[in-house]
């Protein structure tokens, strides 16, 4: 049974359970398709069902699990074909966002992006993959906001909903050396943004998404290999 002093503090129970379940899912310790029982998890963590239920709802929002009425909560399956389809769309949408951001973002907005990159670098320094994943999501959201195109933003929000970004980003971020490689790719994007080079910004973003997709496919094949899984969602 996992033990953590933080579990004795009511306000930290949900976050601690979230952290441990995310870890178990992305490392494959809890396999795709497995049913997560509130009762068993409450016993495992030595808590009531309430923080477990709250943690599972957050994991559903992040794309780690699917909650089905009258059936229960299941760990989401990730198929290689799903990754390919979604990342092809993501490359186009985020590439266009970077192009528009390079042309439209002012210095104040670029300062916000610089601060996010600094946060990402700090997470790399201390090997905080969860923190890096959150900062990475913020970075990409800023790029889309900087594009100043509401229709593009709508497509991005829908894409993220289907992409289950929390799950996929957490899987690939934990790949050895990926945070360092990802940070270098992000810095190339930022360099192009500061130069207001639309072509270079789009190229750098597309390359970043493409490399992430290739590493994610390799990681999924390694940890979640076998036949294409059936998604519970």
């Amino acid at each position: 049974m996992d033990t953590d002093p933080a579990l004795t503090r009511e306000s930290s129970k949900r976050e601690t359970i979230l952290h441990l379940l995310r870890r178990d899912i992305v490392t494959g310790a809890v396999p795709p398709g497995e049913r997560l029982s509130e009762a068993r998890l409450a016993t495992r963590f030595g808590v009531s069902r309430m923080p477990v239920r709250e943690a599972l709802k957050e994991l559903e929002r992040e794309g780690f699990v699917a909650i089905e009425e009258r059936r229960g909560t299941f760990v989401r399956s990730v198929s290689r074909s799903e990754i390919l389809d979604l990342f092809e769309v993501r490359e186009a949408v985020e590439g266009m966002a970077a192009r528009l951001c390079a042309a439209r973002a002012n210095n104040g907005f670029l300062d916000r992006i610089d601060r996010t990159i600094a946060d990402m670098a700090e997470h790399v320094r201390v090997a905080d993959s969860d923190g890096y994943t959150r900062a990475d999501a913020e970075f990409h959201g800023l790029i889309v906001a900087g594009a100043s195109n509401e229709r593009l933003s709508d497509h991005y929000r829908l894409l993220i909903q289907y992409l289950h970004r929390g799950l996929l980003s957490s899987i690939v971020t934990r790949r050895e050396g990926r945070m360092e490689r990802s940070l270098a790719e992000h810095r190339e994007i930022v360099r192009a943004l500061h130069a207001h080079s639309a072509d270079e910004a789009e190229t750098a973003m597309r390359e970043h998404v493409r490399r992430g997709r290739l590493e994610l496919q390799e990681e999924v094949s390694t940890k979640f290999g076998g036949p294409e899984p059936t998604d519970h969602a």
Side-chain angles (χ1 to χ4, degrees):
M1 172 178 171
D2 288 287
T3 59
D4 191 309
L7 281 174
T8 64
R9 299 190 295 273
E10 185 67 29
S11 62
S12 67
K13 290 177 182 178
R14 173 179 168 277
E15 288 303 316
T16 302
I17 294 168
L18 268 172
H19 170 74
L20 294 173
L21 288 179
R22 282 196 200 101
R23 179 202 65 189
D24 287 351
I25 292 171
V26 301
T27 59
V30 180
E34 180 161 322
R35 185 175 182 273
L36 298 176
S37 162
E38 285 186 9
R40 286 197 297 270
L41 289 172
T43 299
R44 170 188 171 186
F45 295 117
V47 299
S48 68
R49 289 195 182 191
M50 183 57 68
V52 171
R53 186 173 300 121
E54 292 174 350
L56 291 177
K57 287 180 180 177
E58 179 62 25
L59 288 172
E60 181 186 37
R61 284 191 290 270
E62 294 177 353
F64 287 82
V65 304
I67 299 178
E68 300 182 16
E69 189 176 358
R70 293 189 296 276
R71 291 198 63 213
T73 301
F74 299 88
V75 176
R76 274 189 51 82
S77 298
V78 183
S79 70
R80 289 177 288 280
S81 60
E82 178 184 27
I83 291 170
L84 178 61
D85 290 348
L86 290 171
F87 271 72
E88 284 178 343
V89 178
R90 180 185 171 190
E91 183 181 328
V93 170
E94 295 205 48
M96 177 57 68
R99 165 175 286 276
L100 294 177
C101 186
R104 297 173 178 176
N106 58 31
N107 289 337
F109 195 86
L110 292 176
D111 286 343
R112 293 175 60 190
I113 292 176
D114 288 342
R115 288 194 294 272
T116 304
I117 281 288
D119 288 342
M120 294 170 75
E122 177 60 17
H123 292 308
V124 170
R125 188 186 71 80
V126 300
D128 177 9
S129 59
D130 286 341
Y132 187 88
T133 297
R134 290 190 296 270
D136 177 65
E138 180 180 353
F139 177 90
H140 286 269
L142 281 172
I143 297 293
V144 173
S148 300
N149 184 304
E150 283 301 316
R151 288 290 176 262
L152 183 66
S153 295
D154 290 342
H155 283 295
Y156 178 75
R157 283 191 290 268
L158 184 61
L159 173 64
I160 293 304
Q161 178 182 335
Y162 282 110
L163 193 60
H164 307 290
R165 185 173 181 28
L167 172 60
L168 299 185
S169 294
S170 294
I171 290 172
V172 73
T173 297
R174 283 169 169 79
R175 186 176 174 86
E176 184 176 358
R178 178 55 195 164
M179 281 196 293
E180 291 81 0
R181 292 189 293 273
S182 173
L183 181 62
E185 293 162 15
H186 282 85
R187 283 175 168 157
E188 280 299 303
I189 297 168
V190 172
R191 183 195 61 76
L193 293 176
H194 276 283
H196 297 286
S197 173
D199 287 343
E200 291 183 9
E202 179 174 4
T203 297
M205 178 62 83
R206 282 179 171 269
E207 184 63 21
H208 166 60
V209 173
R210 192 176 300 123
R211 288 178 180 176
R213 186 256 298 171
L214 290 173
E215 294 209 35
L216 178 61
Q217 285 181 301
E218 291 176 6
E219 196 70 2
V220 167
S221 295
T222 300
K223 288 197 173 77
F224 308 99
E228 291 285 282
T230 300
D231 200 336
H232 281 284

